Amino acid sequence: MSERPSVLVAGAGLAGITAACELADAGLKVTLVEKRPFLGGRTYSYVDKRSGVEVDNGQHVFMGCCTEYIGLLKRLGVWQKAYLQKRMRVRVIDKVWGESVLQSGALPPPLHLLPSLLRFRSLSPAEKVRAAYAMTRIRSLDRAARRGLDGVTFAHWLRAHGQTENAIRGFWNLIVQPTLNGDVTTVSADLALMVFQEGFLRDRNGANVGWARVGLSALLAEAAREYIESRGGEVRLGRSISGMRVEDGRAAISGPDEDAQFIVMALDHRSLLRLLPKPLREEPFFGRIGHMDTSPIVNVHLWYDRQVTDMEFAAFLNTPLQWVFNKSKLWGQERDGQYLDISLSGAREFAEMPAQEIIELFVREVQSLFPAARTAELKRGLVVKQRDATFAAHPGVSRLRPSQRTPVGNLFLAGDWTDTGWPATMESAVRSGLMAAQEVLVAAGRAAAGKEVVSAS
Ligand SMILES: Cc1cc2nc3c(=O)[nH]c(=O)nc-3n(C[C@H](O)[C@H](O)[C@H](O)COP(=O)(O)OP(=O)(O)OC[C@H]3O[C@@H](n4cnc5c(N)ncnc54)[C@H](O)[C@@H]3O)c2cc1C
């Protein structure tokens, strides 16, 4: 029998992959089990049969402040497949007020944003002054005060700090909607404030935008599998955990590797709830998870026979377009036509709309904003709806997010939805994996309790 403690990690999304890598590195016998035939979870790509082109399940971007996600890519040796801006630069195209650029300047934070804020066309001079004032208030909020604001919406906080409805829509929501996957009127002030503190106000490079230069499945899945297997671990794809039981205070799962000493459940929260035995579901620690809601993301993929825009990506105002990514440029494939990916966060109305209607609407919007699209031929349109893309960052959500350590001694949780202090992002998933692994190592007597493995946010 192996002397190495054994651990089963269920779910090979970024959280499970991270936990498995960390635990394999620490010398544990790791088995990573995933119900689908590939690693990557909610970050994956596939070849669209009609166009023959690789399509991501949704455009994924990260920011310079996503240090643990960047660390994972470096650890797996795939960092060269990603790109990160040296300095934040985001084009903002307002259908009514024209184009501005939000960029980080040479001044120290928070002044680095000031020159581009002063030139921002969608705000009046008075709104710019008030936005700058709100930024200074956000910067000075300590963590306890910020966390105390979890019960109110960010829109509520902004109004209380002198922001007009135009500034809330035309400036703050621009950042909040994609990062929290929800409209500014529906999301927790705590999480939104955290995004501004970490991304925009702590450091000049925190909001630099990054993306994969390849399809998401080509980014890290294979490297992760090799990393785990080369450290004596096992990766079992296409294998589902079908149930869980608790006997004598210890958890065991039904499915592969039933005898593992430690279990990390790195599933999305709804899948986890379905597997929990009834007595656990009724415990307050687990029961509150059932109150978490989800929020959809819809991506509209448009392939044109020629180039219709020269931008890399841009954010949009006063149009249903939210963010548009020029995939041909991001992937360095600009030879044949142009492939645009329109990313719509918190997209409840589009999740219910028929795909053809969505395509027609966005083709018209692209034509109205990019004159070259009026004469271009649309070769293919595709809508990808992810109805449960992330947990909904509603006010009060922090109280619903469980820690990685559970009341069951050998059972641990990971996933972007567990308590990391971050919104539902790749960074949150990776952080949760590191935090869960640390708790396993403590339980296995391989690490001291209380050590912070990720910096608190
Ligand atoms: C369309 C879209 C766009 C997004 N855009 C961004 C972005 O721009 N930036 C960003 O940072 N984040 C973005 N996100 C969020 C990001 O993808 C997630 O936060 C992250 O991938 C979650 O990882 P995870 O490991 O926590 O969960 P998951 O990736 O959901 O992993 C859970 C895994 O568990 C598996 N599983 C479930 N049940 C079982 C079972 N019974 N047995 C075995 N395995 C099981 C699932 O198949 C899955 O692989 C986006 C998400 C979506 C959907």
Side-chain angles (χ1 to χ4, degrees), residues 11 13-15 34-35 41-42 59-61 241 266 415-416 425-426:
L14 294 175
E34 165 58 48
K35 80 170 176 194
R42 270 173 278 158
Q59 176 63 43
H60 278 68
V61 298
I241 307 295
D416 59 353
T425 51
M426 300 188 287

Side-chain angles (χ1 to χ4, degrees), residues 345-404:
S345 302
R348 288 197 193 279
E349 73 177 286
F350 295 115
E352 303 313 324
M353 194 186 272
Q356 193 50 38
E357 261 179 56
I358 297 178
I359 291 172
E360 284 163 15
L361 170 67
F362 284 101
V363 165
R364 280 197 304 275
E365 284 302 311
V366 170
Q367 283 176 352
S368 75
L369 283 151
F370 304 116
R374 292 172 203 158
T375 48
E377 185 195 337
L378 181 74
K379 290 166 71 183
R380 169 142 169 76
L382 171 72
V383 176
V384 180
K385 297 178 179 176
Q386 303 265 274
R387 287 197 165 76
D388 299 317
T390 67
F391 72 79
H394 292 326
V397 73
S398 296
R399 286 195 306 275
L400 306 179
R401 299 174 78 179
S403 58
Q404 290 73 30

